[in-house]
Amino acid sequence: MNYSPSDKSLRATDRVVEGISSLLLSLKWKPAIRFQRSSSRCRHVAEEIHRLAYIQEPGLFDFRQNVGDYQLIVLDRMEDPVTPLLSQWTYQAMVHEILGIKNNKVQLRHSLNDEKEIVLASSNDSFYQENMFSNYGDLGLAVKQLVDNFQAISKMNKQIESIDDMHRFIESFPEFRHQSGSVAKHVNLISELSKIINEKSLMTVSRAEQEVVCGSDRVLAFDLVMDLLADNKILPFECLKLALLFILRYGGHGNKQVSILVYKSPCEGHV
């Protein structure tokens, strides 16, 4: 199949190739390259990376490694329309989807203190780096442990009874201040996420998504989706995703249900 990309898709492909190439250089990898055969986009990206690493700049990618030590697998996201429609529950994904992040800055709309904007970057935040891929439940435990550790440090620093104690406190003060800022930032962030999740019933929506995608009872899935479409607390965008998930899963089995779903949906005209 011939691939004749538009100028826009070429620019996008160039960015992908540049990004992957930069990552390979930073990791000092010269991988064997595999790609999804059914995708012309994947073929194009794979061929461009291969041309750069093996033909155009072989010396730049000469890291003295055995052939096959690493593999780069290029897959086409368009082959999976379901995953982008599902609610994401890792720390990084929740921040992106629920709050939004731009230039590593997150706006806090429900914050009760003066801190309405925080900086979130794994490069200078060890807690975020360690927990950015943790799910919502594990994240809550990690934040509690962070708070407990800070409380222990605070208690220790209050026990200043000698010159040696004062010296120890002064030496640890920069770390103490950094730890204080980290605790406040992540507690505020988790609190903001929790409020929005509760206000928008996102957990309920997620359970319905899982039933539609993973369950085997089409009638139950349909009833769950219809109930949520009738719930005024559920945002139109969430309704749209639920409707699309049901159509992707059962569209070929029950056209009547799909018609009812589209008719009843507050997103009618978008489905």
Side-chain angles (χ1 to χ4, degrees), residues 12 22 49 54 62 105-106 114 128 137 149 153 174 198 221 230 271:
S22 298
I49 295 173
Y54 287 86
D62 183 12
K105 295 179 180 179
V106 182
D114 294 333
Y128 183 58
N149 292 341
I153 295 174
N198 291 331
V271 180

Side-chain angles (χ1 to χ4, degrees), residues 226-238:
M226 292 301 295
D227 287 344
L228 290 177
L229 294 185
D231 189 338
N232 292 330
K233 290 197 302 181
I234 309 302
L235 296 177
F237 180 63
E238 303 298 334

Side-chain angles (χ1 to χ4, degrees), residues 229-270:
L229 294 185
D231 189 338
N232 292 330
K233 290 197 302 181
I234 309 302
L235 296 177
F237 180 63
E238 303 298 334
C239 293
L240 176 60
K241 292 197 297 180
L242 283 168
L244 290 173
L245 285 170
F246 187 88
I247 292 169
L248 286 169
R249 177 72 191 276
Y250 295 111
H253 302 284
N255 291 329
K256 183 178 179 181
Q257 285 183 325
V258 170
S259 299
I260 295 173
L261 187 65
V262 173
Y263 178 74
K264 294 289 186 179
S265 170
C267 303
E268 184 180 357
H270 297 281

Side-chain angles (χ1 to χ4, degrees), residues 65-81:
Q65 63 189 37
N66 296 323
V67 177
D69 280 355
Y70 305 104
Q71 294 192 35
L72 171 65
I73 302 175
V74 186
L75 302 175
D76 193 338
R77 195 63 172 136
M78 294 183 70
E79 295 290 319
D80 175 18

Side-chain angles (χ1 to χ4, degrees), residues 58-109:
L60 196 61
F61 286 84
D62 183 12
F63 301 121
R64 301 183 183 277
Q65 63 189 37
N66 296 323
V67 177
D69 280 355
Y70 305 104
Q71 294 192 35
L72 171 65
I73 302 175
V74 186
L75 302 175
D76 193 338
R77 195 63 172 136
M78 294 183 70
E79 295 290 319
D80 175 18
V82 172
T83 302
L85 296 173
L86 296 174
S87 300
Q88 305 298 316
W89 293 104
T90 61
Y91 196 8
Q92 184 186 52
M94 285 192 295
V95 171
H96 275 277
E97 289 201 357
I98 298 175
L99 300 177
I101 183 169
K102 185 176 182 181
N103 296 327
N104 293 332
K105 295 179 180 179
V106 182
Q107 301 293 330
L108 301 181
R109 299 178 181 85

Side-chain angles (χ1 to χ4, degrees), residues 149-209:
N149 292 341
F150 177 69
Q151 287 178 333
I153 295 174
S154 300
K155 184 177 180 181
M156 180 187 69
N157 287 335
K158 289 179 180 178
Q159 298 174 348
I160 299 177
E161 300 175 351
S162 67
I163 294 177
D164 288 340
D165 290 338
M166 286 188 285
H167 181 69
R168 188 186 70 250
F169 173 75
I170 293 300
E171 286 187 335
S172 66
F173 185 75
E175 177 61 26
F176 176 77
R177 187 168 56 183
H178 174 75
Q179 185 83 343
S180 173
S182 180
V183 170
K185 175 170 68 175
H186 290 288
V187 168
N188 286 339
L189 195 51
I190 296 301
S191 176
E192 181 91 355
L193 287 169
S194 179
K195 288 176 182 177
I196 295 175
I197 287 168
N198 291 331
E199 286 176 2
K200 298 180 178 179
S201 302
L202 296 182
M203 278 291 186
T204 303
V205 172
S206 183
R207 285 192 289 269
E209 292 171 352

